[in-house]
Amino acid sequence: MFKKILKGGHRKPSKSDSTENYAFGPPGSHNPGSVVVNHASRPVLSAPEQNSSPSAPIAPPPLSTAAVEPLPLLRDVPVSERQSLFLRKLQICSYQLDFTNMLKTVREKEVKRRTLLELVDFFQSGSGKITEVCQEEMIKMVAINIFRCLPPASHENTGQEVTDPEEEETHLDPSWPHLQLVYELLLRYVVSSDTDTKVAKRYIDHSFVLKLIDLFDSEDPREREYLKTILHRIYGKFMVHRPFIRKAINNIFYRFIYETERYNGIGELLEILGSIINGFALPMKEEHKLFLARALIPLHKPKPVATYHHQLSYCVTQFVEKDYKLADTVIRGLLKYWPVTNCQKEVLFLGELEEVLEATQSAEFQRCMVPLFRQIARCLNSPHFQVSERALFFWNNEHIVGLIAQNRHVVLPLIFEALEKNILGHWNQAVHGLTVNVRKMFMEVDAELFEECRRQYEEKTAGAREVEDQREMTWKRLADVAGEREGGNLVAV
């Protein structure tokens, strides 16, 4: 089966795929099994060679200065000659040039740039359909240009220590002025109404899509933005690729979570998934629920979660809004990966938790409220004022306050001690004021329950004080006995 996938085999879409209501449209603003091909420092697993596949590795033609010559414009030649001229222009664009030295082959670079720009304009203007042969050659040209080994990250093969991804300098590809036009051409081809999906899927096959997904590890954010838009459009237009794309993204997440914790395009992939999840048909398939439990929730574990948490939170909340019964699974998953020493991460988790609770119904809330409010009680007493303050903000949300009020007999005993400790001794004045407001709210909702919790707290405090007094008396007696023995020994000597 895996070999069939690598060979770009296709299957007819299942009924469940065809009923998936896909939310079409770019996930973000656009500015004009795995084959690892994206890192020079990683072992490369190449797919079996396929002479018929345009996405198979293609050796670029040798650079000849005479070959890279400007050609007449497509609009200046008769319609009958445009297809052959189009192929010649694709050949010019298939030459790979050295962009590490900007003073080298300057004329050839300019000819290639102008040719790519003309091809993009040709597609954008809708001047006419291109033949199947031209489509195949164009995808080959795109593959030659974009499928390349990405440079190793600064922490790889350099002897440097691994640093925080947020603190690393962004690597901008010097060849981007040409790559951008290649990506723009591919995007125009995919979104064009003249592009026949049945024909295009022969060239934009599983192998091509897989290599495209691997490029999301590029350090250049401009490239990842184009990849995000193109992959999103492919998912919307090529129904046959949908299960394959989801599985490929799933595998990247697994490798990121359990092996490397290093991948540049997690946020962009999650943005695509946000639109995909929004289009899932109901009732939700078991495959999607497993993806939530095995991939999305464990994505809260890696250290660089802050770099993609906004997109991750959106995806998780989409699941709960689609199927409210998943709220218990999500909340318990968040509690499982709750940070212990990272306060900034706790603030992110509390924000996500509020969004999930806002979509949670009473039955699911009751299933997880005991472990949930034990954790919230610990957050209320956090010495980091942002954590404590963010937890207290839950009581500004009307839906959450309603859930708490319905289950106050369980919730208040769990957090009463934390509230009292904040009032008695929290160093931050803002936290102290918010705690007083929450305490007053409980008192107004159910004064009898509040007094019962206060009585139990006072009894517990008195009992703890008594135990502490007994401990001190025991230590005092032990010290006295030790002193008597020491004195007796001195007399005997």
Side-chain angles (χ1 to χ4, degrees):
M1 184 64 184
F2 184 67
K3 289 182 178 179
K4 289 182 179 179
I5 292 175
L6 287 180
K7 289 180 180 178
H10 309 297
R11 67 171 181 83
K12 293 182 179 179
S14 63
K15 291 182 179 179
S16 59
D17 290 334
S18 62
T19 57
E20 182 179 307
N21 298 320
Y22 176 64
F24 191 71
S29 61
H30 169 58
N31 296 318
S34 65
V35 180
V36 182
V37 298
N38 61 335
H39 246 281
S41 58
R42 297 178 188 166
V44 177
L45 305 176
S46 59
E49 290 188 4
Q50 306 172 55
N51 295 330
S52 60
S53 173
S55 59
I58 304 168
L63 179 59
S64 170
T65 306
V68 185
E69 292 292 340
L71 297 171
L73 299 177
L74 288 166
R75 65 170 181 264
D76 295 340
V77 299
V79 176
S80 59
E81 298 178 12
R82 284 183 182 174
Q83 301 296 332
S84 58
L85 180 60
F86 190 88
L87 288 173
R88 290 169 63 194
K89 287 180 179 289
L90 290 175
Q91 186 177 15
I92 288 177
C93 297
S94 296
Y95 289 105
Q96 290 185 329
L97 305 172
D98 181 11
F99 285 88
T100 57
N101 185 352
M102 300 307 295
L103 300 177
K104 186 178 179 182
T105 59
V106 175
R107 186 186 67 83
E108 287 78 5
K109 290 173 184 174
E110 181 61 19
V111 170
K112 181 178 178 181
R113 188 190 68 81
R114 289 178 178 276
T115 305
L116 284 169
L117 192 58
E118 185 192 1
L119 294 177
V120 171
D121 291 339
F122 180 77
F123 260 96
Q124 192 167 2
S125 62
S127 301
K129 294 183 179 180
I130 60 173
T131 64
E132 192 172 331
V133 174
C134 289
Q135 292 182 51
E136 181 179 4
E137 292 303 316
M138 186 183 70
I139 297 301
K140 285 182 179 179
M141 183 274 291
V142 169
I144 287 172
N145 280 277
I146 68 174
F147 296 149
R148 65 206 190 281
C149 286
L150 300 176
S154 58
H155 69 281
E156 293 183 314
N157 299 332
T158 59
Q160 298 179 3
E161 294 183 2
V162 178
T163 58
D164 189 338
E166 291 183 309
E167 298 177 359
E168 290 181 1
E169 294 183 4
T170 303
H171 169 76
L172 299 179
D173 197 318
S175 64
W176 179 247
H178 284 209
L179 279 177
Q180 180 182 9
L181 294 173
V182 176
Y183 276 117
E184 188 67 32
L185 180 63
L186 177 59
L187 176 60
R188 297 296 173 191
Y189 173 72
V190 171
V191 302
S192 174
S193 57
D194 293 330
T195 301
D196 186 351
T197 307
K198 293 181 180 179
V199 174
K201 73 180 183 181
R202 300 175 190 169
Y203 316 118
I204 300 180
D205 55 12
H206 281 357
S207 177
F208 184 93
V209 170
L210 192 60
K211 293 175 182 178
L212 201 67
I213 293 173
D214 278 333
L215 287 173
F216 274 86
D217 199 18
S218 169
E219 290 187 59
D220 196 323
R222 301 168 299 180
E223 182 170 15
R224 297 200 302 270
E225 188 69 22
Y226 263 99
L227 287 165
K228 177 183 70 177
T229 307
I230 292 169
L231 184 63
H232 189 263
R233 294 291 189 170
I234 289 174
Y235 188 93
K237 193 161 189 171
F238 297 84
M239 190 175 292
V240 67
H241 291 327
R242 291 185 180 182
F244 181 80
I245 290 173
R246 292 197 301 269
K247 185 175 289 186
I249 294 175
N250 201 19
N251 290 338
I252 287 176
F253 287 167
Y254 284 158
R255 189 164 66 236
F256 172 72
I257 296 165
Y258 301 110
E259 295 180 14
T260 64
E261 289 197 0
R262 305 285 305 195
Y263 199 86
N264 292 306
I266 297 296
E268 286 80 6
L269 291 173
L270 286 170
E271 277 192 58
I272 297 171
L273 285 170
S275 295
I276 293 174
I277 294 165
N278 190 37
F280 281 164
L282 295 175
M284 198 174 294
K285 293 192 292 187
E286 192 64 27
E287 169 201 343
H288 303 326
K289 295 178 183 179
L290 288 174
F291 174 71
L292 169 67
R294 295 179 179 178
L296 287 185
I297 292 177
L299 273 174
H300 292 84
K301 178 184 176 183
K303 291 179 182 178
V305 64
T307 60
Y308 57 82
H309 183 265
H310 176 71
Q311 297 92 330
L312 176 60
S313 177
Y314 178 77
C315 290
V316 170
T317 307
Q318 283 286 305
F319 267 101
V320 180
E321 290 177 353
K322 279 279 181 181
D323 186 354
Y324 65 89
K325 294 181 180 179
L326 293 172
D328 178 57
T329 302
V330 169
I331 291 172
R332 290 182 182 275
L334 284 172
L335 296 177
K336 177 181 178 182
Y337 294 106
W338 200 273
V340 178
T341 59
N342 191 329
C343 295
Q344 294 303 325
K345 204 171 170 183
E346 277 193 277
V347 173
L348 294 176
F349 274 49
L350 286 166
E352 181 178 356
L353 194 56
E354 181 176 352
E355 292 181 7
V356 172
L357 286 173
E358 204 164 357
T360 302
Q361 303 300 317
S362 181
E364 281 62 44
F365 180 80
Q366 290 172 359
R367 292 179 186 173
C368 59
M369 61 184 175
V370 174
L372 171 62
F373 278 90
R374 282 177 180 161
Q375 182 59 56
I376 290 177
R378 287 191 285 269
C379 292
L380 290 174
N381 289 148
S382 173
H384 195 294
F385 79 97
Q386 288 181 337
V387 175
S388 185
E389 190 176 52
R390 192 64 188 81
L392 287 163
F393 282 161
F394 278 23
W395 278 266
N396 291 341
N397 188 301
E398 291 184 9
H399 180 71
I400 297 176
V401 168
L403 293 173
I404 292 173
Q406 293 172 15
N407 302 277
R408 58 187 179 275
H409 291 87
V410 176
V411 173
L412 183 55
L414 292 171
I415 66 169
F416 188 87
E417 183 177 351
L419 294 174
E420 292 298 310
K421 285 182 178 179
N422 272 6
I423 290 174
L424 291 173
H426 202 284
W427 66 271
N428 186 270
Q429 195 61 37
V431 170
H432 185 274
L434 289 168
T435 305
V436 170
N437 293 338
V438 171
R439 187 174 182 268
K440 183 179 178 182
M441 192 181 299
F442 277 112
M443 192 185 303
E444 292 173 351
V445 170
D446 195 333
E448 185 178 343
L449 174 63
F450 186 85
E451 290 301 324
E452 176 63 23
C453 289
R454 192 214 296 269
R455 184 186 61 78
Q456 291 179 2
Y457 173 71
E458 290 175 351
E459 289 180 357
K460 182 180 178 181
T461 304
R465 192 180 299 116
E466 184 179 342
V467 170
E468 184 64 26
D469 291 341
Q470 289 179 354
R471 184 182 293 112
E472 288 181 3
M473 289 177 62
T474 301
W475 277 109
K476 189 174 182 302
R477 286 200 300 269
L478 286 171
D480 292 342
V481 171
E484 290 176 3
R485 288 186 176 180
E486 185 178 351
N489 289 340
L490 288 173
V491 171
V493 172

